[in-house]
Amino acid sequence: MGVRPAVTYTIGILCIILLIASIALLVTNVFVDIVDKYVKKEVQLKNDTDAFETWKNPPPPIYMQFYFFNVTNPEEVLNGGKPFLEEKGPYTYREYKPKENVTFLDDGQKVSAITTKTYVFVPELSNGHPETDLIRTVNIPVVTVMNRVRYSSLQILLLNALLIAERAGIFTTRTVHELLWGYKDPVLSAIHFFEKDIDDEFGLYYKMNRTDDGEYVFLTGQKSYKNFTTIVEWRGNKSLDWWTTGACNMINGTDGTSFHPLITKNETLRFFSSDLCRSLYANFEQELSVKGIPVMRFVPPNEIFANVTVNPENAGFCVPAGNCLGSGVLNISTCKQGAPIILSSPHFYQADQKFIDDIKGMHPNKANHETFLDINPLTGLLVRAAKRVQINVYIEPIAGFIETGKVKTLVFPVMYLNESVLIDNVSAAKLNAMLLQSEVITVIPFMIMGLGILFGLIFIILVCTSRNEVNEASEAERTPLLKPS
Ligand SMILES: *[C@@H]1O[C@H](CO)[C@@H](O)[C@H](O)[C@H]1NC(C)=O
Ligand SMILES: *[C@@H]1O[C@H](CO)[C@@H](O)[C@H](O)[C@H]1NC(C)=O
Ligand SMILES: *[C@@H]1O[C@H](CO)[C@@H](O)[C@H](O)[C@H]1NC(C)=O
Ligand SMILES: *[C@@H]1O[C@H](CO)[C@@H](O)[C@H](O)[C@H]1NC(C)=O
Ligand SMILES: *[C@@H]1O[C@H](CO)[C@@H](O)[C@H](O)[C@H]1NC(C)=O
Ligand SMILES: *[C@@H]1O[C@H](CO)[C@@H](O)[C@H](O)[C@H]1NC(C)=O
Ligand SMILES: *[C@@H]1O[C@H](CO)[C@@H](O)[C@H](O)[C@H]1NC(C)=O
Ligand SMILES: *[C@@H]1O[C@H](CO)[C@@H](O)[C@H](O)[C@H]1NC(C)=O
Ligand SMILES: *[C@@H]1O[C@H](CO)[C@@H](O)[C@H](O)[C@H]1NC(C)=O
């Protein structure tokens, strides 16, 4: 046996070993598991992990945009006409929300923190200026007080006198800055004089700058990666008490700014939002790419907004019990000190057609008015997201008040917000590098398989050429025999 056959055998055996090894690696998923284990270990809230730093102080800029609805025909509305609203804005603020007072509990299994939010106006991203732009809208303090006193004729009398003295009606014209961050309301001031626990100022975001929404306790993900940043307690409570069923009062999932790693398409992502006064969830919609990062888009499904006929579970959100307003609207009065505030999606997107028809100027569309989360499935990192909510006031004629005139009963849009985030380039580059590494690791079995196939080809070539040589050799041997002598 010469050198040639030995090499051929070795290559053949190598080919088989490499092919078997690669198949074994693929079947047992070893390298995918290595990546998963690494991610599970790294995505935890503990000292010195990137995940902890990102959670504590999210690097991408968050923008809060406010759009206001300007009432163009107040007299008509008071006479029972349809309101005609003009959308103004956006008034854009950069939002900072670092986690503060971060304290580890239970051997690092839990962590407590508050989120202090700060809003700084960004003129370049705004259309108009909040200090000078005037908006005519529903006078929320007046409507709230009217609702509060509606069952006491004495109080109605007093309030009427006050409204006449202050020339206050159910509409008011204020600057955007006042409507958001607060102004001294004359009617509230008068009431404040007698009832000190009623604030004399009003604003949709009054006292919301540089404040927090209470203490949260989160799981760190130490025990199970699925529990990463899951809320276990808010303001010292494990659940809410504004709604009428246990399921609706649950505080589910995270605070919506972080999610566990290794997200799959079939799962439901749950999160709690204190400004919506409830927990929500989102389901997979489509795969996309953002700055080169693969993401899965999750959106709140239609059934969240559906009425009780379609989704009986929503009955718990009808307050008082049994008093359901229809699809796509949420009465958060009990969570807003009795103010008649109704939440919906902007322009009543996904709500009953009747709400859209009641107001002139509503143009709901998916692209601008839907809430969505774009999440990188491997790391669970939020790459892009937008939370979109409209604040409406419930107005109706209230017996005893001429100020409400002949108004129709309406869910009256005041303003909507779009809180959005998009990963910054530095974080995107870092994430892309990490994703590339994990991809390289997971293709190792395929590289081994490729090598095996290459050896297989070399083996076949060697076998064929050696066979030809054998043939040629035997021909050479035979020729002299065939030579006629
Ligand atoms: C993290 O580090 C801080 C100080 O740097 C320490 O006080 C804290 O106990 C550490 N937490 C954990 C969970 O190790
Ligand atoms: C919120 O507070 C910050 C810090 O004091 C300030 O710079 C910013 O202008 C405030 N925002 C508003 C809307 O008042
Ligand atoms: C809103 O309407 C009022 C009254 O018509 C008007 O004075 C004001 O300029 C409008 N606001 C904006 C931002 O256009
Ligand atoms: C934590 O994770 C485990 C397993 O994934 C799950 O059974 C448990 O309910 C989770 N705990 C919380 C509070 O979400
Ligand atoms: C929440 O906590 C408050 C006191 O902090 C308590 O009065 C209330 O009953 C609690 N609610 C629930 C649902 O546990
Ligand atoms: C909270 O999650 C549970 C399942 O874990 C679900 O049954 C319930 O409806 C959720 N509540 C809300 C308000 O989404
Ligand atoms: C979701 O799909 C994954 C595989 O992609 C599977 O392991 C998991 O059990 C599924 N989960 C549910 C809740 O169906
Ligand atoms: C609930 O919604 C469905 C579908 O939008 C509609 O057909 C039905 O009439 C609604 N029910 C009530 C009570 O409004
Ligand atoms: C909203 O809820 C409050 C508190 O339960 C209730 O008084 C009010 O009537 C509700 N509003 C509507 C329009 O049903």
Side-chain angles (χ1 to χ4, degrees), residues 404-415:
T404 58
K406 302 197 221 32
V407 291
K408 286 207 294 186
T409 298
L410 291 170
V411 175
F412 202 108
V414 172
M415 171 276 261

Side-chain angles (χ1 to χ4, degrees), residues 319-320 323 325 331 333-334 394:
V319 281
N323 178 37
L325 295 178
N331 180 357
S333 179
T334 43
Y394 190 80

Side-chain angles (χ1 to χ4, degrees), residues 42-250:
E42 280 305 301
V43 184
Q44 272 189 41
L45 297 182
K46 62 179 183 200
N47 280 344
D48 307 325
T49 61
D50 276 354
F52 179 56
E53 290 307 317
T54 304
W55 171 80
K56 214 165 68 173
N57 224 333
I62 307 162
Y63 292 106
M64 180 68 108
Q65 299 186 295
F66 298 101
Y67 296 82
F68 275 85
F69 291 109
N70 207 5
V71 184
T72 62
N73 59 345
E75 290 81 17
E76 258 174 74
V77 178
L78 286 174
N79 283 318
K82 197 188 259 196
F84 183 13
L85 306 186
E86 268 176 5
E87 186 185 298
K88 301 287 174 187
Y91 302 95
T92 306
Y93 293 79
R94 171 96 189 252
E95 186 180 349
Y96 298 86
K97 40 181 187 182
K99 300 273 195 302
E100 292 176 347
N101 303 358
V102 176
T103 316
F104 286 98
L105 313 164
D106 288 2
D107 291 330
Q109 283 186 48
K110 290 180 186 166
V111 61
S112 72
I114 58 169
T115 309
T116 305
K117 296 183 185 172
T118 305
Y119 300 88
V120 178
F121 184 63
V122 188
E124 315 83 82
L125 297 176
S126 302
N127 179 15
H129 202 283
E131 308 267 2
T132 52
D133 281 10
L134 288 167
I135 298 290
R136 186 195 284 138
T137 185
V138 177
N139 195 341
I140 300 177
V142 164
V143 174
T144 305
V145 177
M146 280 178 174
N147 265 296
R148 193 167 295 166
V149 304
R150 65 195 296 179
Y151 302 113
S152 150
S153 24
L154 175 65
Q155 286 182 332
I156 291 178
L157 218 65
L158 290 173
L159 182 57
N160 259 318
L162 182 57
L163 293 179
I164 290 163
E166 299 293 346
R167 297 193 190 172
I170 66 164
F171 291 108
T172 185
T173 305
R174 294 281 170 178
T175 66
V176 167
H177 187 87
E178 288 176 317
L179 288 172
L180 283 174
W181 309 107
Y183 58 92
K184 222 179 183 74
D185 182 81
V187 174
L188 288 183
S189 300
I191 297 170
H192 175 76
F193 188 78
F194 299 103
E195 280 184 63
K196 290 283 180 248
D197 54 330
I198 289 182
D199 231 312
D200 58 349
E201 288 201 43
F202 170 80
L204 293 165
Y205 270 66
Y206 177 55
K207 285 187 181 164
M208 300 271 257
N209 193 23
R210 282 173 294 142
T211 56
D212 62 84
D213 62 346
E215 191 187 55
Y216 288 81
V217 179
F218 303 94
L219 295 178
T220 55
Q222 192 193 70
K223 274 266 169 73
S224 158
Y225 74 97
K226 288 247 186 198
N227 292 338
F228 175 69
T229 65
T230 297
I231 302 169
V232 284
E233 230 177 84
W234 176 57
R235 290 184 178 168
N237 279 10
K238 292 192 165 33
S239 62
L240 311 170
D241 56 4
W242 298 313
W243 311 113
T244 58
T245 61
C248 291
N249 274 326
M250 284 170 78

Side-chain angles (χ1 to χ4, degrees), residues 226 263-268:
K226 288 247 186 198
I263 303 251
T264 55
K265 285 180 192 174
N266 55 4
E267 71 186 298
T268 294

